[in-house]
Structure formats: C-alpha cells, structure tokens
Amino acid sequence: MDSPVVNRLFKQLFRHHPSCHSRRNLATLATALHNVRRTHLQQQHRHQQQRYNTTGTRGQRGAKSETARKNESNWQQRTPLFQQDVKDEYSKYPMVTADDLRNSRERPRRVKMFLRDFIEDSLYNPHYGYFSKQVVIFTPGEPFDFPNLQDELEFHSLLSKRYVQFEDDLDAISPSDTRQLWYTPTELFRPYYGEAIARYLVANYKLTTYPYHDLILYEMGAGRGTLMLNILDYIRDVEPEVYNRTRYNIIEISSQLATLQSSQLLRDAANRGHADKVEIINKSIFDWDQPVPSPCFFLAFEVFDNFAHDVVRYDLETEQPMQGIVMINEDGDFFEFYTPQLDPVVSRFFNIRDAATGGRYKVPYPTSSVGRWWASKKPFAGNLSAPEYLPTRLMNFFDVLGKYFPAHRLLTSDFHSLPDAVPGLNAPIVQTRFQRRPVPVTTPLVHQGYFDIMFPTDFTVSEAMYQVITGKLTKVLSHEEYMRRWADIELTETKSGENPLLSWYRNASVLYTV
C-alpha cells in the first residue's frame, strides 16, 4: 500500500490541489479540524521530516526500481488536448468487464471497458478496490451530549478533537499517509439517527403487515454496523413484541468489512442480546439470485453515491448520444473513447428514463438548435457535449429489488448535490486523502483503489425510474424534513437552539416506498 512510488504519486498530486472540505463532512468540520490540529501537525511534520531524511525511504527522489516501475505508473492529470494517438491499441485490446477482473490481483493493462466497469473495478475489486482495502470508518466514541453543548461551533470543536485523537490512535499502531478515513451521520448522531429510522420502520410495519408477518430488514453498506445496533436496541426497548419478530440481514460486498462485521459486529450484537437476530451475507446485491417473497424493508444509506455510472456525450449537431469507453495501455495510462454504438444497458436506461419522466430531464447541452450552434462557435469548442454520467448500476439495483424482493419497501438516503465535482452533468467528486488532508482531482480515470468516486443522486429521475421498474409508489423528503418527522430532535438540540442533526447534511434527501 505505502510503497515509495505511491507516496511520491500522492505528493506530486497534492502539491497541485490545496486542502478542501471533505465530501462526507458536508459542513464546516474541515475548518474546525484544521484549527484544532494545526500545532499538532506542525510538530508531527517536523518529526516525520527528520525520520524521512534519516531513512531515505519515503519521499525519496532517486530513480525507481524496475519492479516499482512495472507495478505502479506515474499518475498524470488527463486532458482532452494533445492526447497521443492510440487508435491502433484501442482496436487490438479486448473488451472486459468488472466481473472479468474480479479475481485479478493486479490492475488491468492492455484492455478496454465501459466506464461503469472501470469504476466498479476501482471501488470494489476484492484485491485492490477502494472499499476492499482502503476505507476506515470513524467512530467518535461516546455519543455527543448535545443539550449540554453551547452551539454547533462547540460541537464542531469537540468532534474535531475526537477525530484527531481517533487517527492518532490508529497511527500509533500502524502509521499511514494514505489512510481513507470517513464517517456517516449514523456515527455522528448515534443513537438518535438510528432511532429515527427505527421509529419509521416500526410505525410502517404495524400499519401494513403486523402481526401476520415478521419484521424482516435488509441493509446494504452497513459499515461498522452501528445503524443495525441502534435500530435493534430501540425496537427491543420500546417495542418488545415487535422485537420478538425482527430479523436483520446485512448484505456486504466488501470481504474486509464482512470479516470485521462477522467478528466485532456479531460480538457486539451478542453482548446486547441480538445474536439470534442478525445474519451477515458477504455478497454483492447484483449477484443476488434467491427470491424473497416475504414483506421486508430494504435499507440503503449512502449507498447510491458509490454505484458505478456510465458516461455519454452528445453530438451537438444531431444530439446522438455516444458512450464512453476507457482504454488502459501497457503502461497503465488511461484514454477515453466515445462510440455511437450504445450497449444494451445504456440503451435500456435511456428507454426507461424517457418513459418514466416523459422526456423531461436535464441534458448537458443547449436544447435549442440556436443554442447548440452558438456553443459550437465558442473558442476550442468540440463537436461533443460535456459528459453526462448515467446511474446504470442504480437501475440494475432497482431491477434486483423488483425481481427478487417483490414485497419490499425501500428506505434510502443519499446526497442530491455535491460540491467540487468533476466537469459534467451528474458528475462525481473524485478524491483521496494524503497526510490527513483531502486531495480532489478532476477526472474519474484515476489509479484504481486509491480514490473514492462519489456521485450525487438525481432523486427526481431516480424516483420515477424506481416506480416504473418496481411498480411501487414513493415519496421524497429532505434530510431535515425526515428527521423532524421521525427523530426526537430535542435530544440533538444545543443550548443555543441550533440542531446539528437538522442543519448538517442539507444536501441529502430521503426516498421511501409508500
């Protein structure tokens, strides 16, 4: 992981991208965090510099070995201008999918693939994927006592101190410059966030299938399992009759997290008396092949943002979409190609989106012929539009729910907008972390496994497509609206009247089946 070449790669990248707010903060934590640890980092950096100068292993500028050259290529910021001609390689290289690469321990070379497969491989490959190897989930320790905090500023300060201490403790065991540390609202607002989810589940369960069916829950992307524990604790303490009929299933694609959950999470569940309620299924939801005819709730919190997307650009004269293909050459460098031949997945996405929305959705080019003509006359204007990123994997997820979970009720929350995204419509943030600071880049074509690729969700289009595919009705609320309905917001209100549970995550929405 922390090879000299990879560290040099990140140092070169970091020099050109100053610190910015972490995508998963979505508030002002970065500023508070910087103020809290400024002195600490200065001392730490002086110590590290002395250590690096002594050992000569990290940050070394000497020539790299032949083995390192073969294993890691120097990362370069891609640009549409002056790319070398690689059409011959493109015609020779085989087309592969993320499934083809699943058993590969080395990053692919001399291949081409759709962008969705490149992203899927980068994030979820079992051997080098971002979520398979890099991610550490922050936990703040004891729940915050919000009523005894003066205001949000004090909350930020206290959270920042715990954040620094958490990573200091990790570094004391295993130092890392490239640790990918992030957190979720479940962890920050424990147990109040989970209890808000539990109230919704119990109320709707009682209104629909109780007492004829059990309360069956499926959760994707459970992380450390905090949401599960908070939900089960609440149901046991408040609704014991419902608790007796509750079953909780965690679907986890990451073998690393599934192993963590199988040991620590199941141990925690047993300590709280939930051992017979929980099952962990180490499997991709896209590999699901067993029908679940019973009524159930399907939970997916901050899951859609890491679903793989396809990319298309449009001919500005004809409005014809062209699908993006990523080519990786023998040196591990990336090149984009666009073809008018759409594969069946993208073609089906367009058909369902048109039917679901009546043709009313955003496009990355002027909709009038005059506007397109004017756009084509701008300096350095090309013949293609800006990129549009299509949530084709989200469409596949809806297919799985409709086919294998016909009686499900979906409850999901994710970001409807994200700052500092790469260029394009519905474009992702692409970012890594180096020496505890976020490093954003401007392309999703990055060294596989070292960068998070995180997309916003267009809830208007996604809700319409979900309804068409599953035949179910839905409702969308803002994060604040949902919490006002289902959370005990007095427990997260500070002395000043400010409420972080409501004010944080303003760029998140909640979708649920009605």
Side-chain angles (χ1 to χ4, degrees), residues 24 81 204-205 247 386 498 502:
R24 297 185 184 269
L81 301 177
N204 283 273
Y205 169 62
R247 289 186 285 155
E498 295 175 322
L502 303 180

Side-chain angles (χ1 to χ4, degrees), residues 68-79:
R69 187 194 67 80
K70 290 180 180 179
N71 291 338
E72 308 285 355
S73 63
N74 284 328
W75 187 92
Q76 296 179 356
Q77 184 73 47
R78 266 57 184 191
T79 171

Side-chain angles (χ1 to χ4, degrees), residues 34 49 80 99 108 119 137 163 181 183 201 249 306 340 344 361 391 396 405 449 455 458 462 495:
H34 177 72
Q49 187 63 45
D99 287 339
I119 294 174
I137 301 174
Y163 196 89
L181 180 65
Y183 56 78
L201 295 172
N249 305 280
N306 287 123
Y361 48 83
N396 296 152
F405 300 85
F455 291 87
D458 184 336
S462 298
K495 293 178 181 179

Side-chain angles (χ1 to χ4, degrees), residues 367-473:
T367 55
S368 68
S369 57
V370 174
R372 291 194 298 275
W373 176 85
W374 180 252
S376 68
K377 299 304 179 183
K378 293 181 179 179
F380 304 106
N383 61 342
L384 297 180
S385 72
E388 178 185 8
Y389 294 87
L390 308 178
T392 45
R393 210 53 164 151
L394 179 58
M395 177 186 69
N396 296 152
F397 172 63
F398 294 158
D399 290 335
V400 173
L401 291 183
K403 181 177 181 180
Y404 294 110
F405 300 85
H408 80 275
R409 295 169 67 93
L410 176 64
L411 176 61
T412 182
S413 178
D414 229 303
F415 304 108
H416 55 253
S417 65
L418 291 169
D420 303 321
V422 307
L425 178 61
N426 196 38
I429 290 177
V430 184
Q431 180 173 281
T432 190
R433 211 167 161 268
F434 181 67
Q435 293 183 347
R436 302 194 180 193
R437 298 175 68 186
V439 185
V441 297
T442 58
T443 173
L445 303 187
V446 288
H447 196 64
Q448 302 96 314
Y450 288 100
F451 291 79
D452 192 3
I453 305 173
M454 180 181 179
F455 291 87
T457 298
D458 184 336
F459 277 89
T460 300
V461 172
S462 298
E463 179 185 25
M465 293 185 65
Y466 171 81
Q467 292 175 351
V468 166
I469 292 173
T470 65
K472 297 180 180 293
L473 299 178

Side-chain angles (χ1 to χ4, degrees), residues 2 14 33 70 82 116 118 128 157 163 223 257 299 336 357 390 400 404 418 439 441 477 511:
D2 286 327
F14 187 64
L33 188 61
K70 290 180 180 179
F82 311 119
R116 66 172 181 265
F118 179 85
Y128 51 77
S157 177
Y163 196 89
L257 283 176
L299 312 180
E336 287 182 285
T357 64
L390 308 178
V400 173
Y404 294 110
L418 291 169
V439 185
V441 297
L477 298 176
L511 180 150

Side-chain angles (χ1 to χ4, degrees), residues 147-166:
N148 285 322
L149 298 179
Q150 182 59 40
D151 49 25
E152 282 199 29
L153 185 60
E154 185 177 358
F155 169 60
H156 292 166
S157 177
L158 181 57
L159 172 59
S160 301
K161 291 177 181 177
R162 293 189 185 185
Y163 196 89
V164 170
Q165 186 60 53
F166 182 85

